[in-house]
Amino acid sequence: MNFKNCAFQAMKLQIIISSPFHFVEKKRHVPLFIWSLNLSIVMTKIPLFLFISLITLSWAQTKNSAVTTDDYLDILRNNLSGEQAYETTAFIEQFWRVVGNEGFNKSIHKVAASLEAAGYVLEENASNTDRFTYRLEKRPLLHPTWEILDANITLVGENTPLLSYTSNRNMVYLNSISTPKNGTTAEVIYVEGIDDLQKISVKGKIIFTGINGPEIYTEGVLKKGALGMITYDNPDYLKPHKNINSIQFRSFTFDSKNSWGIALSFRAKEELKRALEKGKVYAKVIISSRIYPSEELTLVADIKGSEMPGERLVFSAHVQEPGANDNASGVGAQLEMATVAAKLIKNESIDAQRTITFIWGDEIISTKRYLQENEKRAKGIKWGLSLDMVGENTAITGGSFLIERMPDPSAIWTRGKDKHTEWGGSLLTLEDMKPHYLNDYMIHNFLKQGKVAHWEINTNPYEGGSDHTPFLDSNIPGLLFWHFTDQFYHTDNDRLDKVSQETLKNVSIAALASALTLVNGDSYSAMDIVKIVQNAATNRLSEEFLLSDKSIKAGNSVESEVAVVKAWEDWYIKAIASTTDLASPENAVILDKAILEAQAIIESQAKMFVSELEK
């Protein structure tokens, strides 16, 4: 045996295994002692074949770590079709869903029955060995629930209604009371603003207004005795001149003194205005609604983690609102993810080492309560994902699929490729930042599915307003999956014909594949994520440098532009560090090394860019 040659070969092998990324793709748990091997082995003159045999033996004695996101994507593409998500969306979108009303409750029970059919066991009947469980939480409602049965408004002298519930199911304000059975007929008075109510008498009449609906309702109806209110307020992004029959739903806060309100489509508004230009107008209004005491239902399902059940990822989809995409689609997508995951775990195609939880309930309220009512459980929640408006046929609705990022500097300096949606967002500060790898990790995975499926993926800066906000408020990483701009958002044209089974499939595959990687994640998964986030960071810093350089040349201050670059540097340094939440104790050292190397690259790049900007 030529021991000099053996020593040389051992030195080459030591160089290879000292790289923290070398074994990531192989997905093996490599014992720590192998990582610390050095040339002292060579000095013992162990033959190369014996040295390699030691490594081979140690690999054989350790199990494979979780499969990659690519593996999960492949498995799910063969097992998740979007069919159940679409069928569930079709069932739920029939109903005008308000918490506690018949449509809401039927939707919840539909999901519960589907979970049970997929093998989920009612929690109160479950044993310790049951991994798939669900529970139906019931709470009394503080205020009565509401549902609309029928409505129409007809201008006196006309043969056809101005609006009818059969074609415009959003025409009646939520929490409106019924009119007398034969309806209410009264003069329609146009009120331009709140000051008009001090000049004209509206008692016994119907107010028509285009602005400040709630304020005019309180002053004109509740205080000054108008019988009810008619409004028009469809924003431009709904393209009202094109979608002339759409009505965006409106609501009153519950009040035992409530009367009623009607929202108009663009066509109905124009017709009413033309009639008023000719002289006095009288309208007959018929509304049939139900207001009754009820209870709030929240459905929670769990896939119990096989190794770390106390740690969990939580999906949340709200049930209320009258639309198909908003948010019957989120309810349906989440259900199919829950049933497919259970099936694949049962047949041992996949596993979930941490717990996956699915919540269906009242937007924000149910999620917030889940985070607050059990402190011990809340401490184990590592990620939160909101599914809201996830089924759109964008060729019809417009806009695109979006991932709303956690608060990052794009919500302070919104520039370049970044832009807010028409929903809009408040200007954040550096104190509001939530650095975490979840942003770029999820974007990376969705782009992979998008490439295969020829499906467009975009992002928007943080705006809030859905079930991701309670997670962030509790300092839990949380993202929103949604679509915008949707020209049928919150309107009675948000129906099943605007929903795409293909979109439901794509969102569900990408979301569940990402979730499975996380709940099975370890140091090697974290090292993959470090690389993903490092690449995102270097790309972002390059983009921001070019924008800042251009801004300085246009006359803006160097100091303010340097602040932008440094803010992104700080955000990504911390985002990289957050990957330690996946670390396996026995492999923490290699992850720490990968983190430090990635952070050094980011710091070096930022330093170079700052230096260039300050020249």
Side-chain angles (χ1 to χ4, degrees):
M1 174 70 67
N2 185 335
F3 287 109
K4 286 183 69 177
N5 184 59
C6 183
F8 175 71
Q9 295 296 332
M11 184 181 297
K12 289 203 299 182
L13 188 56
Q14 163 60 19
I15 292 170
I16 292 172
I17 66 175
S18 67
S19 169
F21 290 112
H22 182 69
F23 289 115
V24 175
E25 292 182 358
K26 294 187 179 297
K27 288 294 176 187
R28 299 281 183 176
H29 287 295
V30 183
L32 280 178
F33 79 86
I34 290 180
W35 294 100
S36 60
L37 286 173
N38 54 46
L39 290 179
S40 62
I41 293 178
V42 177
M43 300 305 293
T44 64
K45 297 185 179 181
I46 296 176
L48 181 59
F49 77 88
L50 180 57
F51 178 66
I52 294 174
S53 296
L54 285 171
I55 296 177
T56 304
L57 178 63
S58 66
W59 282 349
Q61 291 175 339
T62 58
K63 67 176 183 177
N64 289 338
S65 80
V67 293
T68 66
T69 305
D70 286 340
D71 294 324
Y72 287 123
L73 287 168
D74 288 339
I75 291 169
L76 293 174
R77 285 169 190 149
N78 292 323
N79 288 276
L80 198 157
S81 67
E83 182 177 353
Q84 184 181 34
Y86 187 82
E87 290 176 351
T88 304
T89 301
F91 175 84
I92 292 172
E93 71 99 29
Q94 301 174 81
F95 308 113
W96 214 115
R97 304 174 304 278
V98 177
V99 176
N101 78 2
E102 186 176 351
F104 184 99
N105 293 347
K106 283 183 177 180
S107 300
I108 288 283
H109 287 298
K110 165 73 172 177
V111 175
S114 299
L115 288 171
E116 195 155 297
Y120 284 78
V121 180
L122 189 63
E123 206 171 83
E124 61 193 55
N125 299 328
S127 68
N128 290 334
T129 59
D130 286 314
R131 291 190 65 187
F132 313 107
T133 60
Y134 76 94
R135 66 179 180 274
L136 191 58
E137 301 175 352
K138 301 180 180 180
R139 297 172 178 84
L141 281 173
L142 181 62
H143 298 300
T145 190
W146 177 89
E147 62 187 75
I148 182 65
L149 303 177
D150 197 10
N152 67 70
I153 175 172
T154 305
L155 302 185
V156 174
E158 298 293 331
N159 295 323
T160 57
L162 183 67
L163 287 174
S164 175
Y165 174 73
T166 56
S167 56
N168 286 103
R169 67 179 191 168
N170 284 5
M171 64 177 285
V172 179
Y173 271 62
L174 192 159
N175 285 322
S176 290
I177 64 170
S178 296
T179 61
K181 187 175 181 179
N182 294 324
T184 293
T185 301
E187 184 183 0
V188 178
I189 298 292
Y190 180 68
V191 175
E192 185 173 0
I194 194 71
D195 293 341
D196 287 355
L197 294 173
Q198 311 306 319
K199 306 170 187 175
I200 58 177
S201 174
V202 295
K203 187 173 182 180
K205 299 176 182 178
I206 299 170
I207 292 173
F208 168 44
T209 188
I211 58 172
N212 297 323
E215 186 179 11
I216 288 177
Y217 175 78
T218 299
E219 184 67 21
V221 178
L222 297 183
K223 293 184 180 179
K224 294 189 176 296
L227 298 179
M229 181 177 71
I230 301 171
T231 66
Y232 173 80
D233 185 22
N234 279 352
D236 289 341
Y237 63 78
L238 296 179
K239 301 182 180 179
H241 291 81
K242 173 186 175 184
N243 301 310
I244 61 173
N245 292 312
S246 288
I247 299 177
Q248 194 169 61
F249 80 80
R250 297 288 181 254
S251 63
F252 296 135
T253 301
F254 174 78
D255 189 318
S256 60
K257 299 177 183 178
N258 267 352
S259 181
W260 52 262
I262 288 179
L264 300 178
S265 65
F266 180 84
R267 180 198 58 77
K269 180 259 296 185
E270 290 296 299
E271 188 172 333
L272 179 55
K273 282 176 63 178
R274 284 194 297 269
L276 285 168
E277 288 170 359
K278 296 177 182 178
K280 285 190 177 183
V281 173
Y282 289 81
K284 182 177 181 179
V285 176
I286 299 176
I287 296 173
S288 177
S289 64
R290 291 182 64 210
I291 298 176
Y292 54 96
S294 186
E295 59 187 359
E296 176 195 349
L297 301 183
T298 301
L299 183 62
V300 181
D302 287 313
I303 297 176
K304 186 178 180 180
S306 59
E307 296 187 19
M308 295 166 277
E311 297 183 7
R312 72 183 67 221
L313 179 147
V314 179
F315 284 106
S316 186
H318 66 88
V319 179
Q320 91 284 1
E321 292 186 331
N325 277 308
D326 192 8
N327 184 37
S329 65
V331 173
Q334 187 165 285
L335 173 62
E336 185 160 356
M337 286 194 291
T339 59
V340 168
K343 180 189 78 172
L344 293 174
I345 290 171
K346 284 179 190 176
N347 67 26
E348 298 185 346
S349 296
I350 62 171
D351 192 19
Q353 295 177 13
R354 297 175 177 87
T355 296
I356 304 177
T357 295
F358 304 91
I359 301 173
W360 293 269
D362 188 4
E363 187 172 18
I364 298 178
I365 292 172
S366 293
T367 303
K368 184 176 181 179
R369 182 171 52 228
Y370 183 85
L371 300 178
Q372 293 180 345
E373 68 183 359
N374 186 319
E375 185 177 348
K376 180 180 178 182
R377 181 179 65 201
K379 287 182 179 179
I381 300 172
K382 299 173 73 68
W383 313 275
L385 300 172
S386 171
L387 296 160
D388 188 354
M389 301 168 60
V390 295
E392 302 205 6
N393 182 340
T394 56
I396 300 174
T397 63
S400 74
F401 174 77
L402 293 171
I403 297 176
E404 181 166 305
R405 301 195 300 272
M406 294 171 58
D408 66 17
S410 71
I412 304 175
W413 300 279
T414 306
R415 61 185 196 170
K417 297 177 184 177
D418 291 318
K419 64 177 182 178
H420 279 289
T421 71
E422 284 79 355
W423 177 269
S426 301
L427 182 65
L428 301 188
T429 68
L430 289 174
E431 289 70 32
D432 298 317
M433 297 297 94
K434 303 283 186 181
H436 198 270
Y437 62 80
L438 193 62
N439 270 8
D440 292 296
Y441 173 65
M442 283 293 178
I443 294 166
H444 177 81
N445 294 339
F446 273 76
L447 286 172
K448 280 188 174 182
Q449 177 62 16
K451 184 176 181 180
V452 170
H454 306 291
W455 171 48
E456 183 182 358
I457 310 296
N458 287 297
T459 71
N460 66 277
Y462 178 73
E463 295 176 358
S466 192
D467 281 296
H468 58 315
T469 54
F471 293 111
L472 295 168
D473 290 343
S474 297
N475 291 316
I476 296 168
L479 291 179
L480 169 65
F481 303 139
W482 69 317
H483 286 80
F484 223 66
T485 299
D486 172 0
Q487 62 181 309
F488 305 110
Y489 170 68
H490 276 185
T491 76
D492 38 27
N493 270 318
D494 178 10
R495 303 306 302 269
L496 191 63
D497 61 312
K498 313 304 189 305
V499 177
S500 162
Q501 181 176 327
E502 188 70 14
T503 302
L504 289 167
K505 179 183 75 173
N506 285 327
V507 173
S508 300
I509 287 172
L512 184 55
S514 301
L516 289 168
T517 310
L518 292 174
V519 298
N520 291 309
D522 56 15
S523 291
Y524 298 98
S525 310
M527 289 167 68
D528 285 340
I529 295 172
V530 166
K531 200 67 177 173
I532 290 168
V533 179
Q534 177 193 314
N535 289 338
T538 56
N539 289 336
R540 169 62 75 165
L541 286 171
S542 296
E543 291 169 2
E544 295 298 330
F545 165 71
L546 293 174
L547 290 168
S548 290
D549 184 56
K550 183 178 180 180
S551 178
I552 290 170
K553 289 175 180 176
N556 293 312
S557 74
V558 172
E559 183 180 22
S560 62
E561 295 304 322
V562 165
V564 178
V565 173
K566 287 187 173 180
W568 278 108
E569 175 193 14
D570 180 70
W571 197 93
Y572 270 112
I573 291 294
K574 292 173 180 174
I576 292 279
S578 69
T579 57
T580 56
D581 72 347
L582 285 171
S584 315
E586 68 273 17
N587 301 129
V589 173
I590 57 171
L591 175 59
D592 288 343
K593 185 175 181 182
I595 289 172
L596 289 173
E597 288 189 359
Q599 288 176 329
I601 290 170
I602 294 168
E603 288 172 346
S604 176
Q605 185 181 16
K607 183 178 180 181
M608 177 183 68
F609 286 152
V610 168
S611 177
E612 286 294 317
L613 293 175
E614 291 178 336
K615 283 184 178 178

